[in-house]
Amino acid sequence: MLLIGLIGLVGLGLAGLASATGWAETWAQITRLNAGLVAGLLALSLVNYGLRSVRWHVFARRLGVPLGLGVNALHFIGGFAMSVTPGRVGELVRMRWIKRETGWAVERSAPLVLMDRASDLAAMALLLAITLLFATGGIKGAAPVVILALGAAYVATRPVLLTGLITLVYRLLGRAPRVFARARAAARLVARFSHGPTLLLGLLAGLAGWAAEGYAFHLLLVAMGADIGAAKAIAIFLFATLAGGLTGAPGGLGGAEAAMVGLLALEGIPLETSIPATAVIRLTTLWFAIAVGLAIFPIAERRSKRA
């Protein structure tokens, strides 16, 4: 019910803005899009999902998960169905599938999820910093977001820091010793990923994947007659995605859309263009991922039950 309410509020907010600027102008921008462009946007999103699936498989093999590329990709993409959960914790369903198919305890596969999230943070933060170097003008508040994302990724990939953080939280709370003991055991397994080629491949896959979706946003803006340059478009897309994620809202709902519309407004893009552009790119990235995940989810669930 909370999720439905949040989606409804975001939809009402965008609809209200569109109404204030005029439905005719907003609809006119949407009708400028053709089937070929929409197919291209979806294809670029698939590039992102595909590269990150391969990264998941590489990380899984490094950890020792005895599953092939096809099964690991099934787990990774199926988890997208749970993207719109608070903090995306629903995606932890991937660990349940691994447990069913391999018998691995949750704390044994948890480092895989941690490394996947850390790699995304590092790749998005680096790509944001790079694109801002080539973009005309900057984005106010981008530096703290980049530093925070890189800092979180660094801590998540350092077993000593991670176990120290877990211990600190336990001492502050003083409860659930078994849970924290399992968390420390999982944190120590992060050392498995201290392998240069593996880390480099993971970073490159993330950079290419998120660049593909950011470039899709650039193509969309160009089609709507609002060309602000590829570098700036990618930077706005990444900043909005990271900012939305920092809110902890399911899928960054609300925060990402507000940041995207606001940043486009600062670039002189009128609301009758920024609102449909934001709505379309979110449909072809976040919601397309959820749709693909919902199609794969029951397959992964049935397969794991048979294991």
Side-chain angles (χ1 to χ4, degrees):
M1 293 299 294
L2 176 63
L3 179 58
I4 292 172
L6 184 57
I7 293 172
L9 285 174
V10 173
L12 285 173
L14 290 174
L17 286 172
S19 177
T21 57
W23 284 107
E25 291 83 355
T26 301
W27 181 248
Q29 289 290 3
I30 294 176
T31 56
R32 297 177 71 170
L33 310 181
N34 56 53
L37 175 65
V38 174
L41 300 181
L42 297 178
L44 287 168
S45 289
L46 287 175
V47 169
N48 183 24
Y49 311 154
L51 288 171
R52 290 163 61 205
S53 294
V54 172
R55 182 186 67 193
W56 176 272
H57 172 67
V58 170
F59 285 167
R61 297 301 295 177
R62 184 68 188 174
L63 189 60
V65 178
L67 297 173
L69 174 60
V71 179
N72 282 325
L74 199 70
H75 291 171
F76 181 75
I77 295 176
F80 285 159
M82 309 296 285
S83 294
V84 282
T85 52
R88 296 174 65 180
V89 295
E91 291 187 2
L92 299 181
V93 69
R94 294 165 179 153
M95 293 193 296
R96 184 179 71 178
W97 291 331
I98 292 174
K99 182 177 180 180
R100 286 176 177 173
E101 299 209 29
T102 65
W104 280 33
V106 169
E107 62 266 26
R108 194 176 174 188
S109 59
L112 175 57
V113 177
L114 192 63
M115 281 300 301
D116 179 68
R117 295 284 174 84
S119 293
D120 270 341
L121 282 174
M124 294 175 75
L126 284 175
L127 190 58
L128 175 57
I130 293 169
T131 52
L132 285 175
L133 290 176
F134 294 95
T136 54
I139 294 179
K140 188 176 181 180
V145 170
V146 169
I147 293 170
L148 185 60
L150 287 176
Y154 183 80
V155 172
T157 55
R158 292 296 180 273
V160 175
L161 293 177
L162 198 55
T163 52
L165 181 62
I166 293 169
T167 301
L168 177 62
V169 174
Y170 170 67
R171 288 175 178 172
L172 290 173
L173 298 178
R175 297 179 180 179
R178 291 185 179 180
V179 173
F180 281 97
R182 294 173 70 183
R184 281 192 292 268
R188 285 191 287 270
L189 287 174
V190 170
R192 295 278 186 90
F193 299 102
S194 299
H195 179 247
T198 300
L199 292 174
L200 179 60
L201 190 148
L203 182 61
L204 291 176
L207 287 170
W210 287 109
E213 283 197 347
Y215 189 70
F217 188 47
H218 166 64
L219 293 179
L220 176 62
L221 290 174
V222 170
M224 289 185 169
D227 187 359
I228 58 175
K232 196 56 173 285
I234 295 172
I236 289 176
F237 174 79
L238 292 171
F239 179 85
T241 303
L242 284 169
L246 290 175
T247 66
L253 288 174
E257 290 81 4
M260 203 170 289
V261 171
L263 289 172
L264 288 174
L266 291 175
E267 293 299 314
I269 308 300
L271 288 177
E272 57 264 27
T273 299
S274 63
I275 292 170
T278 297
V280 170
I281 198 63
R282 291 291 275 172
L283 284 171
T284 58
T285 53
L286 173 65
W287 293 104
F288 181 52
I290 293 170
V292 174
L294 287 171
I296 299 298
F297 188 96
I299 300 173
E301 185 72 8
R302 286 195 300 268
R303 178 188 166 86
S304 69
K305 286 181 178 179
R306 290 198 304 265

